[in-house]
Amino acid sequence: MAKKSKNTFYITTPIYYVNDVPHIGHAYTTIIADAISRFKKLSGNDVFFLTGTDEHGQKVEKAAKEKGLTPIELADQMVLRFKDLWKALNIANDSFIRTTQPFHEKGVQKIFQKLKDKGDIYKGIYKGWYCDSTEHFLAEDVPLEEGGFKICPECNTKAFIVSEECYFFKLSAYQKPLLDFYAKNPTFVRPQSRMNEVVSFVKQELKDLSITRTTVEWGIPVPDDPKHTIYVWFDALHNYLTGVGYDQDMSHFQKYWPANIHLIGKDILRFHAVFWPAFLMAAEFPLPQTVFGHGWWLKDEAKMSKSKGNVLDPHIILETFGEDPLRYFLLREIPIGLDGNFSHEGFIHRVNSDLANDLGNLVQRTLTMIHNYFSGKIEEMGDEEKADKKLREEFDNSKKKIIEFYDDYALNRALEEIWFFINIVNKYLADNEPWKLAKDESQRKRLGRILYQSAAALRVISFFLFPVMPESSQKIWNFLGEEKPLEETTLTGLKFDNLKLGQVSKKPKPLFPRVDLKEFLKEEETRQAPQKKEEKMEMITFDEFKKMDLRVGEILKAEKVEGTDKLVKMEVDIGTEKRTMVAGVADVYSPEELEGKKLIVIVNLKPAVIRGIESQGMLLAAEIEGKAIIPFFDADVPAGAKVR
Ligand code: MSP
């Protein structure tokens, strides 16, 4: 059977949940992986790049139910959204895995059985805090409230202790092997700061991990015990094995496994850096080389996520600019390990300054001069002079650094170095003023040399930009008269003066038009607006509306909640009983003003604990510029009267 050789390179992205449409955050991880994969291919490696979708589990089950679909119907729809986006972003993955594919399900069951037979998986009782409305066990580190209960961080309602039979993975047995492994492989987790985080987590007590559920139907059944389904993370992580051939094509599997890099966001580091290597140790597979936890793209300083409503749809940018400027911006703007705030201003600035000015102008100027002065073809040129030699040396210098940065996954630094060199070429042209030499026939050979040097520089620049901006780089490559696809040149074959003399270049078309920020923002706003409206117009049925118990409430007492600016605690008479409610209205109404007022309250909403006070209902108010304006009754209505 084939064995992994030094030349093979296996890279993965997380597999994305299909409960939500992809946004710029998901695009970011996939673009990083694509750029690394393309660079490795240019370097002559035999690369396997895997991405895919995570389709089981509670989140997907719930999202499907809300949409009136079965989970697989939802998954079938959403998987297309991911695949379409990857196509629009020019992602060249070698395979795409869906965890609902039978070969994956079978592979996971096989490993589960193997670990059970070995005693690394055993049956027990899980006891934990369970939230009824989000239907999940809270994480262990959710703190206890004063009354000795826990609150679900997702929906703010009270959780209850629930016991359920489940299968556990013996994670506790892997504490020492994991610590030994980290000590021997200090770059297993990158960046370094995250390695430290992982080590200190594992040094604390590692409890056995519950890896099955009886409350989730939408999952892979446990072999011979199908009322249990396998926990979505145990299922999902194994895609990295099944997606590269485990259990179906073992020679393909052995050729590529272990992965060279699992690229993930820092939110899922613990799963990849602690649980995953422990599962692999238990199943006796070699461990991956690196887990790289990149930072988050934030919008308005908060992580982009659907629940916060601050996600950016990449399609608007893609329709206006194409994929390369977005790929460039995301990779250039921040080092992979850090967070970045996405702003349209920052994006447009990069497009105008780096792409239109520095690179676009260099391409345009060089090729236009070759056309104007040499009809597109330089056939003869003068000897190399000092300035020309220096340009070549600068390239050799930059080339070394660019390769080191790419190999170290420091994509932003590779791009910085490429731009450093682009600006050296711009300066070379400015210093040598070919447009002046063109006026003097005796300088023709010198003119030829200068333009040849610039064109040769553009050729190597486009080569190194290819992993990040494949389409634009291929265009520059073709403008220069190269006929073969850029990808057929490898790093070892790349030389500064490989550009053939006498090669016919094409007239360049503008690659990156400058963009007016104001115009763009105006257009973006009008295109986002209808979407927002559409989101709000989700219809409910009359039966759904009828479920709400709306009544007239009378505020008997009101007082400010200590230590807060906006919260008021109220005692509200709802006809049948008195309820405590908490609302953020103190910035508009004083407690005295509220007392005696009648308003509409919803009384059958699950209680929520706010600042340690259980709020047993909610009052209705209009939200005007962040302030809550309450509609009070001006007629004399009895407390408890139904509102319809
Ligand atoms: N299904 C799991 C992963 C299983 S892998 C075996 C999952 N899926 S997810 O759809 O929630 O995707 C999470 C990943 O999306 C993050 O790890 C990160 O790669 C990417 N991102 C999602 N939001 C992001 C940002 N705002 N910024 C950067 N990346 C983000 O977790």
Side-chain angles (χ1 to χ4, degrees), residues 13-20 23-30 52-56 59 82 99 232-233 235-240 263-269 271-272 276 292 294-299 302-305 310-311 334 339-340:
T13 71
I15 46 170
Y16 302 101
Y17 286 130
V18 287
N19 61 329
D20 197 2
H23 60 69
I24 285 201
H26 306 116
Y28 179 53
T29 318
T30 316
T53 41
D54 191 353
E55 304 189 357
H56 291 126
K59 285 188 189 197
F82 279 92
T99 52
V232 65
W233 273 99
D235 163 356
L237 285 162
H238 286 91
N239 92 87
Y240 300 135
L263 205 73
I264 55 162
K266 62 180 176 179
D267 47 336
I268 54 177
L269 183 63
F271 296 98
H272 284 80
W276 181 226
F292 206 124
H294 67 65
W296 285 335
W297 276 102
L298 315 173
K299 182 83 185 103
K303 182 188 178 222
M304 261 183 233
S305 72
N310 65 346
V311 292
I334 51 168
D339 292 348

